[in-house]
Amino acid sequence: MKHLLLLLLGHLAAAVLSAPMGFVRWCTKSDKEFKKCSDLASKAPVFSCVMKYSSMECIDAIQNGTADAITLDGGDLYTAGLENKKLQPIIAEHYGNSSEGCYYAVAVVKKGSGFGIRDLAGKRSCHTGLGKSAGWNMPIGTLLKLGILKWGGSDKRTIEKVVGDFFSSSCAPGAEKDSQLCKSCKGDCSRSHNEPFYGYDGAFQCLVEDAGDVAFVNHLTVPDKEKVKYELLCPDNTRARIEDYKECHLARVPAHAVVTRKEPELAKLIRKSLSAVHDFDLFSSKAYAPAKNLMFTDTTEKLVKLPSNMNSFLYLGAGYMSVIRSLNKEITAAGSNAITWCAVGPSEMKKCDMWRIRSMMAGENKIMCQNASTVEECMKKIMSKEADAMAVDGGEIYIAGQCGLVPAMVEQYDEAKCNTSGALASSYYAVAVVKKDSGISWANLRGRRSCHTGYGRNAGWNVPMGKIYKQTGDCNFTKFFSSGCAPGAPANSPFCFQCAGSDGTVNDEAKCQPNSEEKYYGYAGAFRCLVEGAGDVAFIKHTTVEENSNGKGPAWATNILSSDYKLICPKRSSPVPITDFESCHLAATPAHAVVTRPETRDYVVRNLRTQQVRFGRGGSDASFAMFQSQSNNLLFKDSTKCLQEVPSGFDYKDFLGQDYMDTMTSLRQCTDSTPDLEKLCTFNTCQ
C-alpha cells in the first residue's frame, strides 16, 4: 500500500507539467529516494518530487520539462549532454580535500584471494551499473587499454557480450536480464535500487556476499572498519591497501554533478534552493537504510557551483569522453572515411571547402569542414565530436592539452628533415620587431603600443608577456603597454584599441576578433599593425618580416623593405638586424601541430599522410595546395614543408617540453591571461 501511495504521489508530481517558476522538481529513482526527497520538500517547500525508475527516464523527464534536476555520474552525464538531450551540469559534488573534486575508480577484492588484474578472465565481477563510470566505463576501458580484454574494431560482438564472455558471471545492473551480466544479481538486474547489488554499496555487497570475486567501485565505497579485509587490484598486476587508492586505481573520474535544462534562471533557482537548505542533511541516507547515496552521494562534503557556460563534454574532459566513445565504437573510422577539419573564420572555411572538394575520391569525401569564429570554439567542436582536427600553435596546444586533446602531427619547416625518420620537430623563434631608428629598445618598452598575433597565442602573447611578468611581477599588462592589438582580448581591453577589423569602421564586428577577418590577426597581421603605425613593437616569429617584405607577401607589403626593421630583446641594449634572431630572440617555441581527440589520433594521422601525398609540396595533385594560402597561414602555416607524426603516446606536455611548460605555468599565475576555455577545462582537476 505504501509503495502504491508513493507511486501515486510520484505520478501526481510528474503531472504538474507547468510547475510555477520558483519550484524545483527533483527526479528520484526509487521509493527510498522519493521518501528522502519528500522529507526534504517538507522542510524546504521550494522542492517537489518526481518518481521515475531509471536515470534515463529522469533525463528524459528533465528534457521534456516534467522534472528539473537530478544528480548523475559521468556515464549518465555523457548521455544527458548529447545533442538530443542538451542537459547541462550546474553543480558538482565535492568529496573533501583528499579527492581534489573527483573520485577514483578502483577494483576491490578480498584480501588473500590470490590473483591480479591480469588474472580476471573467468572470475566473477560486480559492477555498479551498466554505463556507470567507476563500475563500468573506467574498468572496462582500462581492461581494454591493458590488453587484458580483447575487443577489436571489426569485432561484431557488443562490448556487453565481450565482457559477459570474459567473466564467468557478473552483476551489471541495466544489462539484458537473461545475459551473463545479470547472472550474479540478487534482484531484477535493473539499474535502480530494486536491484540490491546496484550502485557503489550494492556492488561492494555483491563482493561481500561472495556473488563476485571483484567489485568495481569508487575509492570511498569500502567502510573504514572493513578496509582491513580487502585490497585493490593495481594496473601493474600488484595489489595495494584500500587506503593507497591514489597510487593504485583504474582512473580518476569527475565527481557526480547536478544537471538541468539550459535555462539560466532555472539553474540559478536550483543553486539558490540547495544552498538555502537547513535542518536537513542532503548528504546522508542513514534514515532510509539499507539504501544509500540517495539524491546525492553520501560521501559528499559540499556542493560546488560550476561556471555558467560549462557543458558535459568540458566537465568530463576529452580523456573520459574517449573511453566512452571507444566503448560505444564511436570512433570516426567506424562511421566515415572522412575527417572533419575545423576552420576558423570565412577565409579558412573557403580554403577548407576547396580541400573538401578536391579530396573526393570515388564519390566519397576524405575531408569534411566545420566552421567556428575562434580557435576555442573549434576546440569545443572537436571535444564534442562536431569536428575532428585542426592545426594550432604552441599556446593553443597547451589549452587543447588542458582539455584532454592530443597532438597528432607536427608541422615541419625544414624540407631536408621531411624524409628523415625520427627527425626533430621544427621550432621557431619568438621575436620582438620595431622600426629602424624608432629609438625603442627592450629597456624603454614600457608605455609603448604593442602588436600581438593573438591573445593567448604563442609567439604573440605567451612568450613576451611571460618575459614581462617575470620582469615586473605584475599581471596587469595594461600598466606596461599603453594600448595595442591582441585579437581575442576582451572587447573593452586596451589591447583591442589598435585593432583594425576588416574595414576600419567603428562598428566593425571583425575588430579584435581572433580570426583572419581581423587585419592585424596572426603573424603577418601583427607585423602589418607595426608597419601601418598602429603599434610600436610587434611580437611575431623570426621569419615573418622576410615573408612580408622585399617584394614578397600580400599587397599591403609591396613596398616594405626588411632592412627598415630590427629586433629588440632583453639581452641586448640596442636593436639588431632581423637576421640576428639566433642571438636576439625571446624564446625558441614549438612548431604548430594538429590536435584531435585521443581516440581519433591514429585515424587522423593516417588520413593526413594520404592527403599530403596528394596535396602537400610536390604532391601528386596540383589542384589544391595544403600549405599555401591566398592570405597568410590558412589552416596550416605557409612555411610548412610537410607534416610529421608526433610519437604515439606523447601528450601535450611531452610535445611542448619542460621549458615551455615552465613558461606557461609562470604566465598562468596571471589569471587574466588564462582563456575561458582553459578555465572551464581545468575547473575539474580530474582531467
Side-chain angles (χ1 to χ4, degrees):
M1 186 67 182
K2 180 180 178 182
H3 173 80
L4 289 174
L5 178 60
L6 288 172
L7 184 59
L8 180 61
L9 288 170
H11 287 311
L12 184 62
V16 186
L17 299 183
S18 56
M21 196 59 185
F23 289 86
V24 176
R25 297 164 295 175
W26 201 272
C27 198
T28 64
K29 300 179 294 181
S30 69
D31 294 346
K32 294 282 191 180
E33 193 164 58
F34 187 88
K35 178 64 168 67
K36 179 178 178 179
C37 180
S38 299
D39 291 344
L40 168 63
S42 68
K43 299 273 189 180
V46 68
F47 292 98
S48 61
C49 309
V50 175
M51 181 70 168
K52 298 293 179 182
Y53 287 102
S54 69
S55 296
M56 196 65 239
E57 285 188 21
C58 280
I59 290 169
D60 288 340
I62 295 170
Q63 180 199 14
N64 64 36
T66 59
D68 298 316
I70 188 176
T71 306
L72 299 175
D73 85 331
D76 290 329
L77 273 170
Y78 171 77
T79 301
L82 291 173
E83 186 66 21
N84 61 335
K85 304 299 178 186
K86 291 186 177 180
L87 301 189
Q88 175 185 29
I90 60 169
I91 303 166
E93 294 182 343
H94 195 281
Y95 310 118
N97 294 332
S98 63
S99 72
E100 300 174 316
C102 56
Y103 60 89
Y104 294 80
V106 296
V108 177
V109 293
K110 291 179 178 177
K111 185 176 286 188
S113 50
F115 59 87
I117 197 168
R118 293 194 171 275
D119 308 310
L120 285 178
K123 298 293 190 293
R124 300 166 302 159
S125 60
C126 305
H127 307 261
T128 60
L130 194 70
K132 291 286 191 178
S133 292
W136 184 266
N137 294 336
M138 292 301 110
I140 302 308
T142 299
L143 293 178
L144 287 169
K145 184 178 180 181
L146 294 174
I148 299 168
L149 189 63
K150 306 293 185 182
W151 187 46
S154 60
D155 197 330
K156 294 182 179 179
R157 296 179 300 165
T158 65
I159 188 62
E160 290 87 352
K161 176 62 175 169
V162 171
V163 175
D165 292 343
F166 180 79
F167 294 109
S168 61
S169 70
S170 304
C171 180
E176 293 290 334
K177 290 182 172 57
D178 59 352
S179 72
Q180 284 288 101
L181 294 179
C182 285
K183 190 174 179 180
S184 294
C185 289
K186 195 173 185 178
D188 63 1
C189 195
S190 66
R191 223 172 68 141
S192 74
H193 294 290
N194 293 327
E195 168 53 61
F197 292 163
Y198 170 69
Y200 298 119
D201 294 283
F204 179 59
Q205 193 61 31
C206 167
L207 177 65
V208 170
E209 295 184 15
D210 201 34
D213 303 305
V214 58
F216 297 112
V217 291
N218 74 19
H219 73 287
L220 300 165
T221 302
V222 182
D224 288 341
K225 62 182 179 181
E226 298 290 316
K227 288 179 178 177
V228 68
K229 302 177 186 177
Y230 297 91
E231 292 178 313
L232 301 176
L233 297 184
C234 308
D236 64 359
N237 211 39
T238 62
R239 289 191 174 203
R241 299 181 312 149
I242 297 295
E243 293 87 350
D244 295 332
Y245 58 85
K246 286 191 176 181
E247 290 73 42
C248 176
H249 58 265
L250 307 181
R252 285 170 31 140
V253 182
H256 293 200
V258 176
V259 301
T260 189
R261 295 180 296 283
K262 293 183 178 179
E263 299 174 10
E265 289 304 314
L266 178 58
K268 185 177 178 181
L269 173 65
I270 294 169
R271 294 188 189 104
K272 180 180 177 181
S273 300
L274 287 171
S275 63
V277 171
H278 300 294
D279 302 321
F280 187 86
D281 193 345
L282 290 171
F283 313 134
S284 174
S285 303
K286 287 182 180 179
Y288 314 95
K292 295 184 177 180
N293 304 312
L294 303 177
M295 297 184 69
F296 297 94
T297 308
D298 291 345
T299 50
T300 304
E301 293 192 5
K302 63 180 179 180
L303 298 176
V304 178
K305 176 185 174 182
L306 298 177
S308 59
N309 51 349
M310 183 69 79
N311 63 40
S312 294
F313 304 125
L314 293 171
Y315 182 74
L316 294 172
Y320 184 93
M321 300 285 288
S322 71
V323 171
I324 296 181
R325 287 175 179 141
S326 295
L327 292 179
N328 294 339
K329 286 192 175 179
E330 290 182 41
I331 300 175
T332 303
S336 168
N337 288 320
I339 58 172
T340 300
W341 201 265
C342 198
V344 180
S347 297
E348 283 206 345
M349 190 63 182
K350 184 177 179 180
K351 180 179 178 181
C352 190
D353 277 337
M354 181 60 69
W355 188 10
R356 174 183 59 81
I357 294 166
R358 300 304 185 195
S359 74
M360 187 174 290
M361 295 184 68
E364 184 179 24
N365 285 110
K366 301 299 181 181
I367 297 293
M368 299 295 288
C369 300
Q370 177 64 264
N371 188 228
S373 60
T374 67
V375 172
E376 286 192 19
E377 289 302 314
C378 265
M379 287 184 192
K380 289 180 183 178
K381 288 180 182 291
I382 294 172
M383 293 179 70
S384 62
K385 211 183 170 195
E386 296 174 68
D388 297 315
M390 70 182 304
V392 295
D393 82 355
E396 292 157 344
I397 292 168
Y398 181 86
I399 298 169
Q402 298 280 55
C403 293
L405 302 181
V406 296
M409 298 198 84
V410 59
E411 294 179 350
Q412 175 60 261
Y413 311 126
D414 185 343
E415 192 166 4
K417 293 180 179 179
C418 281
N419 297 316
T420 304
S421 177
L424 293 175
S426 290
S427 61
Y428 57 91
Y429 294 104
V431 296
V433 178
V434 298
K435 290 180 177 178
K436 183 180 69 172
D437 302 328
S438 66
I440 298 173
S441 67
W442 191 269
N444 64 17
L445 200 55
R446 185 186 289 270
R448 309 288 183 172
R449 298 165 303 155
S450 54
C451 301
H452 307 263
T453 60
Y455 191 69
R457 292 287 297 269
N458 206 22
W461 185 270
N462 296 333
V463 170
M465 295 321 208
K467 291 280 186 187
I468 290 168
Y469 171 73
K470 195 169 183 180
Q471 178 180 316
T472 65
D474 191 344
C475 291
N476 187 353
F477 298 121
T478 61
K479 292 181 180 178
F480 192 88
F481 291 112
S482 60
S483 64
C485 179
N492 60 351
S493 165
F495 289 109
C496 281
F497 289 177
Q498 302 300 328
C499 292
S502 60
D503 57 19
T505 61
V506 174
N507 296 318
D508 184 1
E509 292 183 0
K511 186 179 175 70
C512 205
Q513 290 300 303
N515 61 52
S516 56
E517 299 309 294
E518 163 57 62
K519 292 195 293 187
Y520 294 164
Y521 173 70
Y523 298 111
F527 180 48
R528 183 177 183 179
C529 167
L530 173 66
V531 169
E532 296 182 353
D536 304 305
V537 59
F539 297 109
I540 49 182
K541 64 184 175 78
H542 70 283
T543 60
T544 302
V545 176
E546 289 283 5
E547 291 166 352
N548 294 276
S549 62
N550 305 325
K552 292 181 288 185
W556 63 262
T558 301
N559 297 316
I560 304 302
L561 299 176
S562 61
S563 57
D564 288 336
Y565 297 88
K566 292 202 169 186
L567 304 179
I568 61 171
C569 55
K571 295 180 180 179
R572 298 290 187 91
S573 59
S574 57
V576 301
I578 62 165
T579 52
D580 287 357
F581 54 83
E582 289 190 10
S583 64
C584 183
H585 58 261
L586 306 183
T589 62
H592 290 206
V594 175
V595 294
T596 186
R597 298 180 301 279
E599 77 272 17
T600 53
R601 181 255 178 212
D602 292 347
Y603 187 68
V604 167
V605 169
R606 288 197 302 271
N607 195 302
L608 286 178
R609 279 178 169 166
T610 301
Q611 289 298 302
Q612 74 172 350
V613 168
R614 288 185 65 191
F615 304 121
R617 295 188 184 276
S620 60
D621 190 337
S623 66
F624 177 75
M626 289 173 65
F627 310 132
Q628 293 178 29
S629 310
Q630 287 186 335
S631 56
N632 283 3
N633 303 313
L634 299 179
L635 305 183
F636 302 96
K637 281 173 62 178
D638 292 346
S639 54
T640 302
K641 302 300 188 258
C642 66
L643 298 175
Q644 293 179 311
E645 182 179 357
V646 175
S648 179
F650 261 45
D651 65 10
Y652 75 107
K653 295 178 183 177
D654 299 319
F655 178 80
L656 293 174
Q658 192 58 53
D659 287 346
Y660 189 80
M661 288 298 298
D662 289 345
T663 297
M664 293 301 296
T665 300
S666 174
L667 185 60
R668 286 307 187 253
Q669 294 180 54
C670 301
T671 56
D672 285 347
S673 289
T674 305
D676 288 342
L677 178 59
E678 186 180 331
K679 289 177 182 176
L680 288 172
C681 289
T682 56
F683 186 90
N684 187 328
T685 58
C686 296
Q687 295 186 25

